[in-house]
């Protein structure tokens, strides 16, 4: 079965959010408004800036369990993680989503994937976690 998960490109999200935040702040600094009005305007821009950053950073990814491996198709690349290489999975729950970290056996770097819940419809993340537990993978909450 293929699981559709809402994912977010973390780097792109942060760069867009901070870039627009600094741009709006810079533009406001050039105006003759009092400082309190500049701060209020900037605060009211944050939800719009977050929506814009999510809009340009989100993508639906597909996760599939094939031949005792997890195959993840996201952001125009495919990642295959053999289940026997996974020491444990850490699920860091956040208000905007989940940071899923695959820790491999040995000294290799973990694989991090950000699940997005901000401005997104429901996905199949809970079913995927249940299926991974059925395969005997240890999933820790972070």
């Amino acid at each position: 079965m293929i699981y559709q998960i809402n994912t977010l490109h973390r780097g792109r999200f942060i760069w867009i959010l901070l870039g627009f935040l600094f741009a709006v702040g810079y533009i406001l600094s050039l105006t003759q408004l009092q400082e309190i009005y500049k701060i209020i305007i900037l605060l009211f821009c944050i939800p719009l800036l977050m929506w814009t950053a999510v809009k340009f950073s989100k993508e639906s990814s597909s996760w599939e369990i094939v031949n005792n491996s997890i195959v993840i198709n996201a952001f125009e690349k495919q990642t295959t993680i053999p289940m026997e290489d996974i020491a444990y999975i850490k699920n860091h729950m956040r208000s905007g989503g989940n940071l899923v970290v695959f820790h491999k056996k040995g000294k290799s770097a973990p694989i991090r994937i950000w699940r997005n819940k901000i401005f997104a419809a429901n996905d199949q993340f809970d079913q995927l976690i249940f299926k991974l537990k059925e395969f005997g993978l240890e999933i820790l909450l972070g």
Side-chain angles (χ1 to χ4, degrees):
M1 178 175 182
I2 298 176
Y3 300 92
Q4 296 299 323
I5 309 295
N6 299 319
T7 50
L8 191 69
H9 192 284
R10 294 175 302 160
R12 188 180 310 148
F13 172 78
I14 294 297
W15 279 110
I16 291 171
L17 180 64
L18 290 179
F20 278 126
L21 196 60
F22 286 133
V24 170
Y26 177 73
I27 291 168
L28 286 172
S29 73
L30 299 176
T31 66
Q32 298 298 320
L33 295 172
Q34 290 181 352
E35 294 301 316
I36 189 70
Y37 296 127
K38 292 177 185 179
I39 292 169
I40 291 171
I41 291 170
L42 192 60
L43 286 175
F44 277 99
C45 285
I46 290 174
L48 177 64
L49 298 178
M50 283 187 67
W51 180 83
T52 304
V54 168
K55 173 112 172 104
F56 290 106
S57 303
K58 70 178 180 177
E59 182 177 303
S60 181
S61 63
S62 63
W63 298 46
E64 187 174 12
I65 299 173
V66 180
N67 298 331
N68 245 5
S69 294
I70 302 169
V71 180
I72 303 167
N73 290 302
F75 304 108
E76 299 175 5
K77 71 176 189 176
Q78 182 174 2
T79 305
T80 302
I81 309 166
M83 286 194 204
E84 61 267 4
D85 291 351
I86 299 173
Y88 61 94
I89 300 171
K90 202 156 194 185
N91 180 10
H92 299 273
M93 292 187 283
R94 303 291 185 253
S95 61
N98 301 66
L99 178 59
V100 181
V101 183
F102 293 91
H103 292 273
K104 297 181 183 178
K105 296 174 183 169
K107 291 189 175 184
S108 61
I111 297 172
R112 294 174 174 86
I113 300 174
W114 179 259
R115 175 196 174 216
N116 176 41
K117 292 191 303 189
I118 303 173
F119 308 114
N122 290 337
D123 58 12
Q124 298 173 311
F125 184 75
D126 294 332
Q127 294 96 327
L128 173 67
I129 293 296
F130 181 76
K131 188 68 170 177
L132 292 175
K133 285 180 181 178
E134 282 182 350
F135 277 91
L137 293 174
E138 183 180 11
I139 301 175
L140 305 174
L141 295 177

